[in-house]
């Protein structure tokens, strides 16, 4: 199987890397931040950055030919641990408590304007075997 790079036009990277990569039925993202794709700016609040980050996750996974229901794990990094903003967006994206991906949240030092960032792994379901 050949790896396919996934790029999303409205997101700009300064490095020569794709937004995600896919091999077979596996899609893995690079770093996803809470930047507003229309302005390329970071909102000032954690809640706004989380909302944009989750929307950017959706755009990235869909650009890889998958759906948010195919996401099996998300990892989050925050400059200050605060689960509420993530949890608010989490239950919007994954409303079924019986079908949510695994997740991990870590507190790390980041650039001053970056409050939260994440990455994901998705396994694209085979429509013939889904129940």
């Amino acid at each position: 199987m050949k790896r396919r790079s996934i790029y999303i036009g409205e997101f700009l990277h300064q490095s020569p890397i794709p937004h995600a990569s896919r091999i077979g039925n596996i899609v893995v993202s690079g770093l996803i931040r809470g930047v507003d794709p229309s302005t390329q700016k970071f909102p000032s609040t954690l809640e706004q950055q989380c909302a944009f980050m989750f929307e950017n996750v959706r755009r990235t996974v869909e650009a890889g030919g998958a759906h948010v229901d195919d996401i099996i794990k998300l990892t989050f990094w925050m400059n200050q641990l605060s689960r509420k903003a993530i949890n608010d967006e989490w239950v919007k994206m994954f409303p079924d408590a019986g079908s949510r991906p695994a997740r991990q949240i870590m507190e790390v030092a980041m650039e001053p304007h970056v409050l939260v960032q994440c990455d994901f792994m998705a396994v694209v379901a085979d429509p013939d075997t889904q129940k």
Side-chain angles (χ1 to χ4, degrees):
M1 286 184 235
K2 186 175 180 183
R3 177 179 53 235
R4 178 172 61 95
S5 296
I6 299 160
Y7 294 95
I8 301 168
E10 63 268 23
F11 300 127
L12 301 175
H13 270 287
Q14 294 178 355
S15 300
I17 57 171
H19 295 97
S21 190
R22 179 172 176 164
I23 295 178
N25 67 332
I26 298 172
V27 180
V28 179
S29 77
L31 194 62
I32 300 172
R33 294 178 166 180
V35 67
D36 179 341
S38 65
T39 65
Q40 298 298 309
K41 305 265 187 226
F42 287 90
S44 60
T45 70
L46 176 60
E47 292 77 15
Q48 290 171 316
Q49 285 195 25
C50 279
F52 278 120
M53 178 182 63
F54 273 83
E55 184 54 35
N56 294 339
V57 165
R58 180 183 308 281
R59 289 178 180 167
T60 304
V61 75
E62 289 175 356
H67 185 272
V68 296
D69 291 341
D70 298 319
I71 295 173
I72 194 163
K73 178 154 192 244
L74 286 117
T75 302
F76 297 91
W77 296 272
M78 304 182 80
N79 72 345
Q80 185 175 7
L81 196 58
S82 175
R83 288 181 175 86
K84 183 181 180 334
I86 288 177
N87 286 343
D88 289 348
E89 295 299 324
W90 182 263
V91 296
K92 289 177 192 174
M93 183 169 278
F94 307 110
D96 181 356
S99 178
R100 290 184 177 142
R103 86 173 192 199
Q104 181 177 7
I105 302 174
M106 295 174 281
E107 186 174 324
V108 298
M110 294 189 287
E111 299 165 63
H113 60 280
V114 180
L115 305 177
V116 63
Q117 55 194 24
C118 73
D119 69 4
F120 70 80
M121 177 182 284
V123 179
V124 182
D126 179 352
D128 295 331
T129 61
Q130 276 193 324
K131 294 181 182 180

